[in-house]
RNA sequence: UCCUCGAUAGCUCAACGGUAGAGCGGCCGGCUGUUAACCGGCAGGUUGCAGGUUCGAAUCCUGCUCGAGGAGCCA
């Protein structure tokens, strides 16, 4: 094919009247005897390529007529505006080169069941809706990183393979480490505490693994988490950071991903409410709220999904719940000096019933209390010796949180299930593809 | 681990005790402006597996397998 500029489909409108080359896959085809309409996609957009019998040779026309869904091709033609074309622009084809005529494609343009779609996740990813979600995911990740980078946080990577649990309670994936047991990390937090003592403000961005036999729309066995940690920071600092971060990330998505959100059918209005200050409830107040709503709930119980939904539906933006009973939270939370039975922990619940997207708080700074917590939680002290060292050598108040990327994305995109928020979901019954 | 629901053509579904069908996809043919195009034709099934009830089971019963939603746990 002669040298003519190759353009991405989202740039086509800037080349009106010009002859260009585009590369892509056949999304759909319609024909009417002597004229063919090839709908091409390239991951950035779509275009209707018009092949008429007069404008190409007989052989090209016949080959184009035989093209199957998802066949890969390069097309040369003239860009022109036409109200009849989807998107307003079309390509009058003068030449066409086929990379491959695809075999019968499993995914039709009609509806499919979720099992079939998940079995074909590698192909499902090509559909407009999934492409839109992945684009928003990219923007969310970028916004999180830009936000922290601009505020002086240093990216420090936490290990994936660890010798012990971060929190003794949840189940870990065990693997063989040259004859010893090793575990896939469930959080980088403990390592971020060490890094914060070295660099001040740090964060990690990585996968987390939980071998919980959870089968709900909020759970994945492997998910991604961004975990900032700050030295010389208390619970208030932690809440402020979370509040500001969610605000900026949401703004960035609204600024850059309008068309994606529209394609997903996401109402923009709830997203525009995400501005500080977020409503803040102490655990005590949350319990009162639940009881006022007629919910059977005792002080000391932990919130389940139904409770989180009830609380979040009371507000038009993310809500912060803080100062939980110590028994509800992990061993490393700092007790409230005013009320030792509660800890300086906080969760952020997304609106519209999406539930917890952030969990964090102020970390335990004293070494004696930490040792007694190890015993209370039956944790192997030997494995946590390095963590105890952080309290022995210049311990400071410090705090941080973990933000679940898929849960945040599910809420921002209005997805029914987190499995669509990650390219290749790992779930209880799924390790393929 | 527990509760609820489901499994019929490649896909989405119908048939609910009496000859397993449709739409889409595929193949063949028609149409010079289609919009998940349309029109005609063809191929395509051990109704998840194993038992049972019945003259007769996709349909009713039992067990199993696989899946979905939810609980617990969490981001």
């Amino acid at each position: 094919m002669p040298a003519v500029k190759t353009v991405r489909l989202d740039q086509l409108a800037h080349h009106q009247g010009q002859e260009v080359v585009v590369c892509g896959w056949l999304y759909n085809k319609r024909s009417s005897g002597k004229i063919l309409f090839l709908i091409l996609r390239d991951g950035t957009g779509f275009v209707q390529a018009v092949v008429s019998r007069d404008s190409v040779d007989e052989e090209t026309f016949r080959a184009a007529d035989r093209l199957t869904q998802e066949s890969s091709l390069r097309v040369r033609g003239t860009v022109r505006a036409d109200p009849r074309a989807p998107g307003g622009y079309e390509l009058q084809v003068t030449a066409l080169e086929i990379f491959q005529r695809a075999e019968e494609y499993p995914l039709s343009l009609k509806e499919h069941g979720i099992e079939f779609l998940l079995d074909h996740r590698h192909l499902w990813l090509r559909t407009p809706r999934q492409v839109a979600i992945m684009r928003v995911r990219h923007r969310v990740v970028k916004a999180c990183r830009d936000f922290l980078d601009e505020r002086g946080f240093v990216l420090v990577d936490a290990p994936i393979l660890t010798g012990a649990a971060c929190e003794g309670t949840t189940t870990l994936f065990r693997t063989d480490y040259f004859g010893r047991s090793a575990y896939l990390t469930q959080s980088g937090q403990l390592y971020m505490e060490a890094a914060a003592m070295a660099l001040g403000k740090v964060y990690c961005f990585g996968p987390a693994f939980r071998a919980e036999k959870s089968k709900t729309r909020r759970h994945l066995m492997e998910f991604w988490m961004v975990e900032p940690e700050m030295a010389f920071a208390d619970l208030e600092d932690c809440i402020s950071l979370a509040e500001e971060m969610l605000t900026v990330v949401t703004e960035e998505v609204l600024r850059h991903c309008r068309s994606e959100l529209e394609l997903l059918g996401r109402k923009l209005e709830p997203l525009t409410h995400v501005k500080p200050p977020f409503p803040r409830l102490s655990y005590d107040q949350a319990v009162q709220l639940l009881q006022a709503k007629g919910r059977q709930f005792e002080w000391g119980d932990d919130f389940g999904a139904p409770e989180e939904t009830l609380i979040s539906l009371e507000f038009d933006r993310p809500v912060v719940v803080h100062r939980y009973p110590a028994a509800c939270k992990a061993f490393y939370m700092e007790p409230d000096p005013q009320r030792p039975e509660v800890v300086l922990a906080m969760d952020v619940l997304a609106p519209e019933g999406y539930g917890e997207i952030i969990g964090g708080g102020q970390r335990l700074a004293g070494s004696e209390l930490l040792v007694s917590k190890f015993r209370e939680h039956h944790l192997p002290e030997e494995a946590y010796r390095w963590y105890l060292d952080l309290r022995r050598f210049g311990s400071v108040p410090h705090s941080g949180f973990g933000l679940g990327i898929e849960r945040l994305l599910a809420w921002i995109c209005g997805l029914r299930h987190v499995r669509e928020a990650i390219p290749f979901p790992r779930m209880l019954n799924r390790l393929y593809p």
Side-chain angles (χ1 to χ4, degrees), chain A residues 28-48:
Chain A
N28 198 7
K29 183 182 73 180
R30 292 182 278 267
S31 71
S32 187
K34 305 289 183 290
I35 187 165
L36 284 173
F37 301 96
L38 307 176
I39 314 300
L40 303 186
R41 58 161 200 92
D42 75 342
T44 71
F46 291 82
V47 71
Q48 169 164 286

Side-chain angles (χ1 to χ4, degrees), chain A residues 243-427:
Chain A
E243 194 172 65
E244 211 188 328
M245 188 161 160
L246 286 175
T247 301
V248 169
V249 170
T250 309
E251 279 172 1
E252 285 297 292
V253 171
L254 280 171
R255 180 163 23 250
H256 296 282
C257 303
R258 284 285 166 130
S259 59
E260 284 82 4
L261 294 174
E262 242 163 69
L263 189 146
L264 293 167
R266 186 24 161 148
K267 279 187 196 143
L268 301 183
E269 197 256 341
L271 299 178
T272 62
H273 292 154
V274 184
K275 291 192 176 74
F278 293 173
R280 298 181 189 199
L281 290 177
S282 67
Y283 173 87
D284 296 1
Q285 292 170 316
V287 171
Q288 280 172 17
L289 189 150
L290 289 170
Q291 288 170 345
K293 292 262 144 202
R295 186 103 195 152
Q296 192 71 29
F297 196 88
E298 297 286 316
W299 195 97
D301 293 346
D302 201 0
F303 301 136
E307 284 82 16
E308 287 183 357
T309 300
L310 253 161
I311 294 167
S312 76
L313 287 176
E314 288 294 299
F315 305 96
D316 71 342
R317 64 194 75 189
V319 52
V320 179
V321 182
H322 56 85
R323 291 178 172 80
Y324 285 78
C328 294
K329 290 291 170 186
F331 71 89
Y332 48 70
M333 303 310 309
E334 179 79 29
D336 185 341
Q338 259 81 59
R339 286 177 63 198
E341 72 276 17
V342 299
V343 290
L344 298 173
M346 66 94 173
D347 284 352
V348 179
L349 310 180
E352 301 170 85
Y354 275 87
E356 184 179 351
I357 50 173
I358 284 179
Q362 191 172 331
R363 318 304 190 187
L364 194 50
S367 58
E368 288 93 27
L369 189 51
L370 185 58
V371 169
S372 68
K373 286 283 179 185
F374 285 155
R375 296 188 180 142
E376 198 180 307
H377 291 257
H378 308 292
L379 295 171
E381 286 175 50
E382 194 48 34
Y384 288 99
R385 201 176 59 234
W386 68 269
Y387 187 67
L388 185 60
D389 275 356
L390 305 178
R391 277 72 185 169
R392 296 173 62 211
F393 306 110
S395 188
V396 302
H398 63 290
S399 64
F401 60 80
L403 163 62
I405 294 297
E406 288 78 14
R407 286 189 178 177
L408 174 61
L409 189 61
W411 165 61
I412 286 178
C413 292
L415 308 180
R416 211 165 294 145
H417 197 300
V418 290
R419 65 189 163 209
E420 278 188 285
I422 188 166
F424 294 95
R426 266 67 185 104
M427 295 180 294

Side-chain angles (χ1 to χ4, degrees), chain A residues 73-88:
Chain A
L73 57 155
R74 177 151 53 196
V75 164
R76 182 175 157 172
T78 308
V79 182
R80 66 177 188 209
D82 191 312
R84 292 168 295 187

Side-chain angles (χ1 to χ4, degrees), chain A residues 27-239:
Chain A
Y27 179 70
N28 198 7
K29 183 182 73 180
R30 292 182 278 267
S31 71
S32 187
K34 305 289 183 290
I35 187 165
L36 284 173
F37 301 96
L38 307 176
I39 314 300
L40 303 186
R41 58 161 200 92
D42 75 342
T44 71
F46 291 82
V47 71
Q48 169 164 286
V50 185
V51 188
S52 46
R53 199 142 241 178
D54 316 337
S55 60
V56 296
D57 58 72
E58 181 63 21
E59 194 187 340
T60 303
F61 188 85
R62 257 213 306 276
D65 195 25
R66 287 188 67 244
L67 281 172
T68 49
Q69 195 186 351
E70 288 301 312
S71 288
S72 44
L73 57 155
R74 177 151 53 196
V75 164
R76 182 175 157 172
T78 308
V79 182
R80 66 177 188 209
D82 191 312
R84 292 168 295 187
Y89 293 91
E90 64 180 19
L91 205 61
Q92 185 63 48
V93 175
T94 54
L96 183 147
E97 180 190 336
I98 298 164
F99 291 106
Q100 192 222 6
R101 181 174 181 272
E103 292 176 34
E104 186 180 340
Y105 195 62
L107 301 191
S108 74
L109 266 33
K110 300 239 171 180
E111 286 194 12
H112 294 287
I114 190 62
E115 186 182 1
F116 182 80
L117 287 172
L118 287 169
D119 280 340
H120 297 84
R121 182 57 171 168
H122 51 299
L123 303 177
W124 185 22
L125 231 29
R126 300 181 184 191
T127 60
R129 179 182 162 82
Q130 301 307 313
V131 166
I133 294 168
M134 288 307 125
R135 287 191 176 278
V136 180
R137 181 183 169 105
H138 169 248
R139 181 56 61 177
V140 165
V141 170
K142 180 174 163 53
C144 285
R145 297 183 61 140
D146 288 349
F147 172 87
L148 293 167
D149 292 348
E150 283 161 18
R151 279 158 187 78
F153 285 77
V154 178
L155 176 70
V156 178
D157 299 311
I160 305 291
L161 289 166
T162 62
C166 291
E167 310 168 29
T169 54
T170 46
T171 327
L172 292 158
F173 284 105
R174 191 163 72 197
T175 183
D176 178 74
Y177 198 79
F178 306 111
R180 295 159 55 195
S181 282
Y183 303 89
L184 299 184
T185 185
Q186 57 186 185
S187 163
Q189 183 211 310
L190 269 44
Y191 296 97
M192 289 306 102
E193 290 186 52
M197 300 308 138
L199 293 143
K201 291 201 284 186
V202 297
Y203 71 102
C204 62
F205 199 116
F209 307 88
R210 307 267 165 101
E212 295 155 359
K213 297 202 170 175
S214 303
K215 261 188 73 161
T216 80
R217 68 182 69 193
R218 297 178 306 282
H219 286 89
L220 295 166
M221 301 299 107
E222 177 183 300
F223 64 98
W224 288 71
M225 196 154 55
V226 55
E227 296 175 276
E229 193 72 34
M230 304 174 282
F232 307 105
D234 61 13
L235 178 65
E236 280 306 307
D237 300 320
C238 185
I239 293 175

